[in-house]
Amino acid sequence: MVTVVGIGADGWTGLAPASRSALARAEVVLGASRQLDLLPPEVTAERVAWPTPLLPAVPALLAAHAGSVLCVLASGDPMFHGIGTTLARHTAVRVLPHPSSASLACARLGWALDKVAVVSAVARPVERLHAALHPGARVLVLSEGSQTPAAVAALLRDRGFGSSRMTVLSDLGADTEAVVTATAAGWSGEVGPLNVVAVECAADPGARRLPRVPGLPDDVFEHDGQITKREVRALTVSSLAPEPGELLWDVGAGSGSVGIEWSRADPACRAVAVEPREDRAARIARNALALGVPELRVVTGSAPGALAGLPEPDAVFVGGGVTADGVLPACWAALRPGGRLVVNAVTLESEVLVARWHGEVGGTLTRVSVGRAGPVGGFTGWRQAMPVTQWVAVKESE
């Protein structure tokens, strides 16, 4: 059993009696050097600083100290974007939490914590903030260091949210606690490395609306024409039916629009985009970054070969290469029981293929036709896009 003790910037004085007692009994204490320095001399345990990178070293460190009374120090609440969740995957843990930086920040600001979006920029791209930006939203950004507030301000300005109010709270709970407030457009402050950025989102005139519901405008994606168009994409993501924690394979991803919209549906949704062309694969990564889902994984290669070794999906979308030998059998075989397969067929050859599969495994076939009004000389008329036949099948539970 490993005891995980949350500690704040107030150090030893801010710890509850149970946390102090656990540290006093410990034979070994693991933690960041900054956290270990907060312990007083009466904690006589061997102090071991985390190496860099941390995560790959966790199993070996736990094994090395398996026979000792072991405590691990964590910032704030260990189970809130903390090391506690990682340790719990490897061993049994007893967690003694301290108030999280988010709890302390909301207490200072008078914000309801359950109404606030929290985005971690610790060892993660700050672009994750894009998905949380909506007019009137309140967002807390967990900073990686003193440069994070400037990066947040730059992102807000570039996105058209420069009038958003930023409050940067540093050293929460310590005697050195400080608060700096400015708009994103006017941000020029210097802050300490232990800080949280609170953002009250305000859109500038003309700022693009990017809601989480599927069907973003085509022009928010960088693409070369290989994109599932807006109306069909909204239907496609709806048919894929994302739920939190589920994994999508976006096969023949093109611009990555379907996988990106799936990922934006919920922060816990995950996606793998499989694309044979290197230029398009790079474009998918840029789109994912710009639209707030940088964790989307891009695999460069052709299906079905590129699918080997990927984690088992809950849903699969085949947008390109559906007629290639072995693609549909590989996707169907990989699906979890209860998983959904969605194929958009545009050519006669692909329609014949999905019709045959529909006859073999069932599902639904839907024909989608979209027309857009446009100029015809001095008048306005309808221009029809190519019709799409969508096949949706659910794999029966075994």
Side-chain angles (χ1 to χ4, degrees):
M1 175 76 72
V2 175
T3 301
V4 189
V5 177
I7 191 168
D10 49 358
W12 183 257
T13 59
L15 292 179
S19 297
R20 293 188 185 186
S21 177
L23 289 166
R25 294 194 307 269
E27 296 173 340
V28 178
V29 178
L30 296 174
S33 297
R34 173 186 60 80
Q35 295 164 340
L36 294 172
D37 289 342
L38 296 173
L39 300 180
E42 51 262 39
V43 176
T44 58
E46 178 187 359
R47 304 182 187 193
V48 179
W50 290 118
T52 301
L54 186 156
L55 294 182
V58 168
L61 282 169
L62 291 176
H65 301 290
S68 303
V69 179
L70 179 61
C71 274
V72 172
L73 287 177
S75 294
D77 185 344
M79 307 306 288
F80 182 76
H81 296 277
I83 189 64
T85 55
T86 299
L87 293 171
R89 293 194 292 268
H90 294 278
T91 187
V93 295
R94 174 190 178 217
V95 179
L96 301 174
H98 187 276
S100 69
S101 56
S103 293
L104 292 172
C106 285
R108 302 294 188 271
L109 296 166
W111 290 6
L113 180 56
D114 62 310
K115 305 296 184 185
V116 173
V118 180
V119 176
S120 176
V122 180
R124 297 175 175 89
V126 73
E127 285 82 2
R128 297 176 76 243
L129 178 59
H130 278 297
L133 295 182
H134 307 285
R138 287 175 167 175
V139 184
L140 290 178
V141 181
L142 309 182
S143 290
E144 184 166 47
S146 57
Q147 301 305 312
T148 300
V152 169
L155 184 149
L156 291 169
R157 292 194 298 268
D158 293 344
R159 175 67 185 278
F161 280 75
S163 54
S164 299
R165 179 184 175 90
M166 289 175 49
T167 302
V168 182
L169 305 101
S170 305
D171 296 337
L172 281 164
D175 293 338
T176 54
E177 182 174 315
V179 177
V180 180
T181 300
T183 64
W187 177 262
S188 60
E190 295 185 5
V191 296
L194 296 179
N195 69 79
V196 176
V197 185
V199 181
E200 297 175 81
C201 297
D204 302 333
R208 294 293 297 267
R209 288 178 51 85
L210 298 178
R212 284 191 180 273
V213 295
L216 292 175
D218 294 344
D219 63 1
V220 305
F221 298 93
E222 182 186 345
H223 65 90
D224 58 3
Q226 196 71 15
I227 183 173
T228 302
K229 299 301 191 294
R230 180 180 190 172
E231 296 83 0
V232 176
R233 187 184 337 118
L235 175 62
T236 298
V237 177
S238 175
S239 297
L240 289 165
E243 291 190 342
E246 290 192 323
L247 173 68
L248 170 74
W249 286 2
D250 183 358
V251 180
S255 65
S257 62
V258 170
I260 289 169
E261 294 247 38
W262 163 284
S263 301
R264 285 173 56 88
D266 187 272
C269 286
R270 300 165 296 133
V272 178
V274 180
E275 170 55 48
R277 283 180 43 171
E278 291 187 1
D279 59 332
R280 287 177 177 164
R283 192 176 292 125
I284 292 168
R286 292 195 296 270
N287 283 332
L289 196 67
L291 291 167
V293 288
E295 290 88 356
L296 181 141
R297 179 182 173 188
V298 182
V299 174
T300 305
S302 297
L307 307 177
L310 295 181
E312 191 178 35
D314 300 285
V316 177
F317 171 62
V318 183
V322 64
T323 58
D325 287 344
V327 170
L328 279 187
C331 292
W332 185 254
L335 266 181
R336 296 178 186 271
R340 290 83 63 201
L341 175 62
V342 176
V343 180
N344 288 348
V346 178
T347 66
L348 289 174
E349 292 79 4
S350 58
E351 281 193 338
V352 169
L353 182 62
V354 298
R356 177 169 63 80
W357 273 81
H358 173 260
E360 293 177 0
V361 303
T364 61
L365 286 171
T366 305
R367 172 63 70 90
V368 182
S369 182
V370 176
R372 293 189 178 91
V376 180
F379 299 91
T380 302
W382 292 105
R383 298 187 183 278
Q384 296 294 325
M386 292 183 67
V388 175
T389 299
Q390 184 175 95
W391 174 50
V392 181
V394 179
K395 191 172 185 178
E396 293 184 3
S397 299
E398 299 173 349

